[in-house]
Amino acid sequence: MSKRDFYDVLGVSKGASSDEIKKGYRKKAKELHPDRNSDNPEAESQFKEANEAYEILKDAEKKAAYDRFGHAAFESGMGGGQRPGQGYGGGDFSSAFSDVFDDLFGDFMGGQRGGGGRRAARGADLRYNLRITMEDAYSGLQKTINVPTAVACSACDGNGAEGGAEPSTCPTCSGMGKVRAQQGFFTVERTCPTCSGLGQIIKNPCKSCGGQGRVEKDRALNVNIPAGVETGTRIRLAGEGEAGMRGGPPGDLYIFVEVQAHELFERDGTNLYCRVPVSMSKAALGGAIEVPTIDGGRGRVQIPAGSQSGRQMRLRSKGMPALRGGGTGDMFIELAVETPVNLTSRQKELLKEFEDLSEDNNPESHSFFSSVKSFWDGMKG
Ligand SMILES: [Zn+2]
Ligand SMILES: [Zn+2]
């Protein structure tokens, strides 16, 4: 098929100014726009043709090359520093918008971009939410998880063709894996609907996988959760995501860890906090108490006589391990002094006697009431 002259395509004369070229293109683009021509299959190819012509003629350098060499200027790598034609009509189509495409599509076009050759799509990344106890976060754990995923089809060895036949180049996108369409004055690039971006189609799809080269399956994975993880820790298992389409590279599996709240311990980084009730008499007299530790063991803490509620004591290295080495945190014990309730008459008697004797030996209330007194005195003055 020989190519039509670009000036003819846009309906302008050879000596047309850049303004006339732009006008001619706009007119054609409106006329031939796929949205208005859904019933006219020819319009689509004419529309592409007009785009191609305009891409060349709007650019002074390319226009000069075209004026000199004709279509040959843009074929097989010829013509003033052009990249070689990329199968889509030969013109260097992408330059004008490629930066925007990289921004917009860079991420999810992922493995499909760039270069010729195989364009098998990379499999999707998977997310797995794993809830574990704080004890498990402390010690680390080995766990088998079941992940619903896609794995390479064993019948066709992942290539998607029945009997392992070679796939052929997709006619819609000529193997590019993407198609471009004009929307208003923007060129929009999309994954080719015929081949889903693979650039290749299969005449006889594999019966086991329908030509996808992969099948849905629950996979059992043995994962190693290191000691010290906390809520928000992400563990990446490279290559353990979905298998790619037709032998494409697999995605990754991300395990998102959530550590459940603990009944006894509160965590802040590598430190643990535990609130321990102590009797009023023990707080006053002092003595040893036994506290639980996250490793399942017991720690002994000596309470000094006269401890107030809220007093913190530290048990060194009884906290959580740091995720990437670097030691273990501490455990802080916060005393909660309890007022006794449900007193027997004997206890009441003793406490009454105690109160009569303790007029002046309570430092905290002493300083509180002297502040209150000067506050009231100040109000009077
Ligand atoms: Zn298959
Ligand atoms: Zn295609």
Side-chain angles (χ1 to χ4, degrees):
M1 196 180 86
S2 71
K3 273 173 105 80
R4 281 174 70 201
D5 179 82
F6 282 159
Y7 292 98
D8 289 349
V9 168
L10 297 182
V12 296
S13 65
K14 282 240 185 295
S17 70
S18 65
D19 251 24
E20 287 167 322
I21 289 170
K22 193 191 262 177
K23 269 187 199 150
Y25 166 70
R26 284 188 178 180
K27 193 161 160 254
K28 288 284 172 198
K30 258 191 193 163
E31 218 174 276
L32 299 168
H33 195 281
D35 286 356
R36 300 178 168 207
N37 293 278
S38 48
D39 50 351
N40 180 3
E42 251 179 63
E44 198 195 344
S45 64
Q46 285 171 9
F47 181 66
K48 287 178 185 165
E49 199 179 34
N51 278 331
E52 188 187 353
Y54 184 58
E55 285 295 320
I56 301 299
L57 295 185
K58 74 172 184 186
D59 181 312
E61 246 180 75
K62 290 178 197 168
K63 181 173 177 291
Y66 178 73
D67 289 341
R68 244 184 115 182
F69 301 111
H71 291 299
F74 306 102
E75 278 158 18
S76 38
M78 271 191 63
Q82 304 284 337
R83 268 180 278 160
Q86 296 195 338
Y88 193 93
D92 180 13
F93 243 112
S94 54
S95 61
F97 292 104
S98 59
D99 291 343
V100 180
F101 286 147
D102 284 341
D103 284 351
L104 291 180
F105 297 111
D107 273 348
F108 62 88
M109 295 296 283
Q112 298 170 32
R113 285 194 75 85
R118 196 118 193 243
R119 229 177 301 271
R122 181 177 178 272
D125 291 338
L126 293 176
R127 171 181 178 149
Y128 187 94
N129 295 331
L130 181 65
R131 254 171 89 92
I132 62 171
T133 63
M134 202 177 281
E135 291 91 321
D136 284 341
Y138 170 79
S139 53
L141 79 157
Q142 288 262 348
K143 198 172 165 64
T144 304
I145 58 175
N146 272 302
V147 188
T149 183
V151 299
C153 170
S154 55
C156 61
D157 222 7
N159 98 351
E162 187 69 25
E166 277 302 303
S168 52
T169 301
C170 170
T172 306
C173 62
S174 313
M176 290 292 288
K178 345 168 221 193
V179 289
R180 287 161 189 273
Q182 200 77 15
Q183 276 190 356
F185 294 98
F186 284 94
T187 305
V188 176
E189 190 178 62
R190 286 202 184 84
T191 301
C192 172
T194 309
C195 62
S196 307
L198 299 179
Q200 296 178 325
I201 53 161
I202 286 163
K203 296 234 167 64
N204 285 312
C206 165
K207 287 186 188 70
S208 299
C209 62
Q212 297 273 303
R214 56 182 192 179
V215 288
E216 303 289 320
K217 204 182 162 189
D218 268 13
R219 253 183 89 199
L221 269 172
N222 219 330
V223 299
N224 191 18
I225 309 296
V229 292
E230 51 192 320
T231 296
T233 302
R234 264 180 11 168
I235 297 165
R236 175 170 167 265
L237 301 179
E240 301 288 5
E242 281 192 352
M245 292 260 285
R246 289 183 210 157
D252 299 330
L253 173 70
Y254 289 91
I255 295 175
F256 282 64
V257 176
E258 188 196 339
V259 179
Q260 288 166 271
H262 197 281
E263 214 182 334
L264 297 174
F265 304 105
E266 227 171 283
R267 179 180 183 180
D268 181 19
T270 56
N271 291 332
L272 288 177
Y273 295 82
C274 181
R275 221 174 121 83
V276 179
V278 287
S279 67
M280 189 180 75
S281 47
K282 185 160 274 181
L285 302 171
I289 54 167
E290 198 170 68
V291 294
T293 50
I294 187 69
D295 57 8
R298 293 150 205 259
R300 261 177 92 79
V301 184
Q302 196 63 38
I303 301 176
S307 289
Q308 303 293 335
S309 216
R311 177 170 198 153
Q312 267 193 355
M313 265 145 345
R314 186 202 298 247
L315 270 180
R316 286 199 188 273
S317 300
K318 288 293 181 187
M320 299 292 283
L323 184 54
R324 278 169 252 286
T328 305
D330 299 328
M331 176 172 161
F332 292 88
I333 288 125
E334 188 188 309
L335 301 184
V337 178
E338 273 190 322
T339 306
V341 294
N342 302 325
L343 302 174
T344 64
S345 52
R346 174 72 182 130
Q347 283 175 317
K348 280 181 194 164
E349 224 174 85
L350 286 172
L351 276 181
K352 188 77 190 79
E353 193 180 337
F354 171 79
E355 194 179 15
D356 291 344
L357 292 171
S358 40
E359 282 308 302
D360 229 24
N361 63 356
N362 210 330
E364 209 168 309
S365 58
H366 203 78
S367 89
F368 174 75
F369 286 115
S370 78
S371 297
V372 170
K373 186 171 181 300
S374 59
F375 168 71
W376 281 336
D377 288 349
M379 297 297 276
K380 268 185 243 162

